[in-house]
Amino acid sequence: MPQLLALLLLLFFRATSPASSQAASPQDQPLGNRAESVKLAVIGDSGTGAAPQFEVGRQMATARARFPFDTVIMLGDNLYGRQQPQDFVDKFERPYAGLLESGVMFYASLGNHDDPAGRYYKAFNMGGERYYAFSKKNVRFLALDSNLMDAKQLAWIEDTLKQSQDAWKICYFHHPLYSNAGRHGSEVELRVILEPIFVKYGVNVVLSGHDHVYERLKPQHGITYFVDGSSGQLRKGDLRQSESTAAAFDQDQTFMLIEIALDEMSFEAVSRTGRIVDSGVVYRRPKT
Amino acid sequence: MRHHGISPHPHPHSNAHSHAVTLAHARRSSRTSTTASTATTAAFQFVIDRFLLLPIGVGIAIVWANTFAESYFRMSHALSFVVNEVGMAFFLALISQEVLEAVMPGGALHSWRRWGMPLVAAAGGLAGAALVYLAYVHVAYELMLSQAWPIACAIDVAAAYFVMKTIAPRSGALPFVLLLAIATDVVGLAIVAPRYESYFAPDSRPTGTVLFLIAIGIAALMRASRVRAFWPYLAIGGTVSWWAFYWVGLHPALALVPIVPFLPHEPRSVDLFADPPDDDATHRFEHEWNTLVQGILFCFGLVNGGVVFSAYGTGTWAVLTAAFVGRPAGILIAVGLAVAAGLHLPRRIGWRELIVIALATSSGFVFALFFATGVMPIGPLLAEIKIGALATAAGALLTVAAAWLLKVGKFAPPRHARPHVSSEVS
């Protein structure tokens, strides 16, 4: 009985607290696979065309059998090196052939290695824009171009977030505002500009790549930040975990699975070999 | 510069002994104070004369950004508009004023015949820097950086001047390098100005054009009324012109440049950046203006120079390669072609001197930083480029090393010991 009371109290606390994320143990599989939920996968720094990217692609197709996501968001550096039409086949269409054939929609953002003309590539669903927004049920997604954060884009972000009545607001772009990786780390200048806007308009989750590792940060100003820049590239041993790190993995390529239902966002970070290296739930903060 | 001594004032009611002691003490204090004051003034003058406030600002910014990044970038964003768009207008106006006075009859750079070869060299340097920069980012497959190519073209006029003055103060290399740098930056500014992202919509351009004509009208009226002071031109005509540029969508830091030709001018018989004699109202105003601009340059360095070291990337290496390889190679190739076509190098400038001149233009520093803020929006790519722009300051050391190796200027052996004065081409 006392255990049941404690569990009820814990659930009540979770439901009323501002945005917070609770990590489940890697063995837990918090993805509920609920019928009305938004289901998506996340990849970042993927477009190498090398074997690990193909293995991640196969692992994503396997994961889709148990968790039928219909959307993949791409955190930039979608293609490395040459970007001729054949490269889009070799570094995107072939690694994710199974998903593309199943009708999964990819929504890309641009990284520093991407040709700006990539926004016209149909399968990236960018509509020819450097930054754009789309909705899935009660979730508003904003794909931003963190390479060039001009005044026009900033005004657009503010306007789009202000107008959004969606329960969840998720922003994704290439350069991380928070990261404990050694090579790049946090983009503090971007953070100084973007974070006040995100906080003001109630953004719940921010996803980025650029650092070739997986990291989940402890909530910062009510926002949960993820870095997943290891879906093709990998910088082994690059993480310098700090007190802001909630979970991290830099030993293998990864991708993420996300399910959003009502006030909960469940997530898993899955390695190239199919191991769940991080999982948990982010609870939506109440509107102020 | 005048110095004010400190007079001792003994207490009227003290006795003779204490009076003597007080007086002696006061004299010592006076001497110490005067010495301290003189030393401070000399140090300040040293800093001003060598444009050191800018690198000092950059140094503070780099340390700040790499220790307390968040507070640095908050400060930087709060001040960037007022420094980059307003303050830098005074810097570019002063440069324009000095160039205008140097090229007017009686000025140090007057003789238009001198402009031929430096213009050819400038064209070659521009093409070399731009092509090498673009080639680098294409080979590295970072096409996002392509739009930053004008930054690679910038030459820090003051850095080029000071390094050549150190190496060869009395040779024809000094006006050559100045003309080359000025011509390059004029073209660069013309490329950067229209890329400015104005707050106003394009349909407000007619209003901006009308404002610009009003600004020119005000300046012309003041000139016709023989207004001798600078500030009315800058405060009234300049303000209207600034708004005109901003409305039209041109970089407003260039707004005072069209006003400058209406200011009172005296020919500069000394080189650019050298202090003209404080002999008339015009030169006195220039002294005041120069001190103001030094303060602005300090703020410019502080606001724009703060880069986090880990932000280096392809843009950094592309800017450096363009500066140290592309521009010097472009200059040498262009001059080589011009010589082959029958043009002559200026007297006492041979190929060895030309190599040193070409390297002296490799520093982009303040102009590259300014171009960067005009061409690239905030983001990690701008940070990469800025690191490259700051690192081009190493071009000064490279130039001195080249001069030493090639025995140019001060490093040349005494005249009687040399079999040839120079490998002059003409």
Side-chain angles (χ1 to χ4, degrees), chain A residues 81-82 113 146 149 183 191, chain B residues 70 141-142 310 312 378 380:
Chain A
R82 206 179 55 172
H113 287 280
S146 57
M149 194 53 67
R183 170 60 186 93
R191 187 205 298 169
Chain B
E70 199 149 337
Y141 296 111
E142 291 214 27
S310 62
Y312 72 89
I378 292 160

Side-chain angles (χ1 to χ4, degrees), chain B residues 18-358:
Chain B
S18 66
H19 185 191
V21 170
T22 310
L23 199 60
H25 176 72
R27 277 185 186 141
R28 274 198 303 276
S29 302
S30 169
R31 271 201 301 273
T32 313
S33 304
T34 309
T35 310
S37 164
T38 309
T40 309
T41 308
F44 181 72
Q45 201 56 44
F46 181 87
V47 167
I48 292 287
D49 287 348
R50 284 157 186 81
F51 281 68
L52 292 180
L53 278 178
L54 171 72
I56 289 171
V58 170
I60 293 170
I62 288 174
V63 172
W64 190 352
N66 284 280
T67 46
F68 303 100
E70 199 149 337
S71 69
Y72 170 77
F73 286 117
R74 281 213 185 91
M75 176 283 296
S76 160
H77 288 291
L79 296 182
S80 70
F81 183 83
V82 73
V83 171
N84 295 345
E85 269 88 336
V86 181
M88 285 303 277
F90 290 95
F91 167 70
L92 291 173
L94 180 63
I95 291 280
S96 309
Q97 167 80 350
E98 294 193 355
V99 169
L100 209 66
E101 291 188 345
V103 299
M104 69 192 291
L109 302 178
H110 183 62
S111 178
W112 290 96
R113 281 184 308 154
R114 286 183 182 181
W115 280 83
M117 196 57 96
L119 280 181
V120 170
L126 270 165
L131 288 173
V132 166
Y133 176 86
L134 287 170
Y136 195 104
V137 299
H138 274 75
V139 168
Y141 296 111
E142 291 214 27
L143 300 180
M144 285 275 179
L145 288 161
S146 298
Q147 70 180 79
W149 68 267
I151 300 161
C153 298
I155 297 176
D156 192 312
V157 184
Y161 168 82
F162 282 117
V163 75
M164 278 317 295
K165 196 172 181 187
T166 306
I167 293 167
R170 283 178 296 278
S171 79
L174 203 56
F176 190 103
V177 84
L178 275 176
L179 294 172
L180 193 169
I182 291 164
T184 303
D185 286 336
V186 166
V187 175
L189 287 168
I191 294 166
V192 169
R195 289 171 170 235
Y196 182 74
E197 194 181 31
S198 176
Y199 178 80
F200 294 101
D203 57 10
S204 64
R205 278 182 184 153
T207 318
T209 310
V210 171
L211 266 182
F212 178 71
L213 293 173
I214 291 172
I216 295 295
I218 291 170
L221 199 66
M222 285 183 184
R223 178 71 184 224
S225 312
R226 299 181 184 282
V227 175
R228 295 294 301 165
F230 279 18
W231 300 116
Y233 291 89
L234 300 178
I236 303 169
T239 304
V240 178
S241 179
W242 189 93
W243 278 106
F245 270 64
Y246 195 56
W247 278 47
V248 168
L250 294 171
H251 201 305
L254 287 158
L256 298 183
V257 174
I259 303 296
V260 164
F262 297 96
L263 298 179
H265 294 291
E266 294 293 335
R268 291 175 70 86
S269 53
V270 293
D271 290 327
L272 223 61
F273 302 111
D275 226 5
D278 203 359
D279 53 358
D280 58 23
T282 304
H283 287 147
R284 256 196 304 283
F285 277 121
E286 282 174 11
H287 277 296
E288 289 172 18
W289 195 353
N290 185 40
T291 309
L292 170 74
V293 162
Q294 298 265 351
I296 290 167
L297 285 176
F298 171 78
C299 295
F300 181 77
L302 187 68
V303 165
N304 298 291
V307 282
V308 178
F309 291 132
S310 62
Y312 72 89
T314 302
T316 310
W317 309 122
V319 168
L320 286 173
T321 312
F324 295 152
V325 180
R327 181 163 34 245
I331 289 171
L332 293 173
I333 291 168
V335 172
L337 290 172
V339 168
L343 281 178
H344 296 287
L345 280 169
R347 284 181 61 234
R348 295 204 303 276
I349 292 185
W351 286 106
R352 289 182 296 130
E353 286 78 8
L354 202 63
I355 290 168
V356 174
I357 287 171

